[in-house]
Amino acid sequence: MKLIIGIAGASGVIYGIRLLEALRELDQVESHLVMSNTGRMNIGLETDYDVKNVEALADAVHKNSNMAASIASGSFRADGMIVAACAMKTLSDIVHSRADTLLTRAADVTLKEQRRLVIMPRETPLHTGHCKLMYEASLLGAVIAPPMPAFYTNPQTIDDIINHSVGRVLDLFDLDTDLVTRWQGPTE
């Protein structure tokens, strides 16, 4: 399986990083990373990682300006793409087919080839324009998966919350990890 991970400029780059860490543990997945400039910047602002450490987690790294990269073509046989976290500007570019960066071009290709595109938007509060963009993206075939905590898992740390959201996104690709605490029903 080949998955493209896009890290855009929204707060929450840790979701993209954790996805790469989880995929690194799965031998059957080849990960391709592309980051926007603000995504790269947010790594240093929000985490203890540096860009080189994050890039080392991926099997292949593509420059956002390289419109000739393999992931820019529908002939590249990716199984899907996850944009984590997705800035509203990036979401707008995807919805309006403005494929002027590799990240948005790869998302556009994913949609046109009818492959799974999962978008993890990270913004709050949302105004009507944001909601409309998510709605329009879903009409195009994207799966909208905002990173929202599940409290039935009784999370004890921020990592617990991050891991659950990441695990649920990987569930969308039938990739089972130990990140998700599965609901078993109430205990008596």
Side-chain angles (χ1 to χ4, degrees):
M1 173 179 278
K2 293 179 186 175
L3 281 181
I4 302 165
I5 304 299
I7 298 178
S11 180
V13 294
I14 191 62
Y15 291 105
I17 295 168
R18 191 59 45 81
L19 277 164
L20 289 167
E21 289 172 336
L23 293 175
R24 194 93 176 135
E25 301 297 316
L26 301 173
D27 293 334
Q28 75 270 29
V29 180
E30 178 182 306
S31 62
H32 289 257
L33 173 63
V34 59
M35 294 185 279
S36 71
N37 290 338
T38 48
R40 296 170 72 84
M41 177 188 71
N42 282 351
I43 289 170
L45 294 174
E46 296 181 358
T47 74
D48 293 331
Y49 294 85
D50 65 38
V51 170
K52 288 186 194 284
N53 296 129
V54 173
E55 289 177 338
L57 295 170
D59 295 304
V61 178
H62 305 276
K63 290 187 178 186
N64 200 27
S65 60
N66 183 8
M67 297 301 282
S70 58
I71 64 173
S73 174
S75 67
F76 180 76
R77 301 279 310 212
D79 294 281
M81 180 174 182
I82 304 166
V83 184
C86 186
M88 286 298 142
K89 179 195 180 308
T90 302
L91 179 59
S92 179
D93 287 351
I94 291 168
V95 165
H96 295 105
S97 304
R98 184 180 164 145
D100 62 347
T101 67
L102 182 58
L103 195 157
T104 54
R105 170 62 185 167
D108 192 57
V109 167
T110 300
L111 288 172
K112 83 175 184 69
E113 297 295 328
Q114 298 183 10
R115 298 174 183 145
R116 179 153 285 175
L117 173 63
V118 177
I119 297 172
M120 295 180 77
R122 248 294 305 124
E123 186 66 69
T124 190
L126 299 167
H127 62 61
T128 303
H130 298 151
C131 296
K132 185 178 174 187
L133 286 171
M134 288 186 279
Y135 170 72
E136 289 174 353
S138 71
L139 290 177
L140 293 172
V143 176
I144 310 301
M148 295 186 182
F151 292 103
Y152 70 84
T153 63
N154 193 24
Q156 301 298 302
T157 66
I158 292 173
D159 273 350
D160 291 344
I161 294 169
I162 294 165
N163 288 339
H164 188 80
S165 291
V166 166
R168 293 291 289 134
V169 165
L170 292 176
D171 279 351
L172 295 169
F173 293 92
D174 292 324
L175 294 170
D176 195 14
T177 65
D178 62 356
L179 298 177
V180 176
T181 301
R182 307 282 176 199
W183 175 247
Q184 302 296 317
T187 57
E188 300 278 337

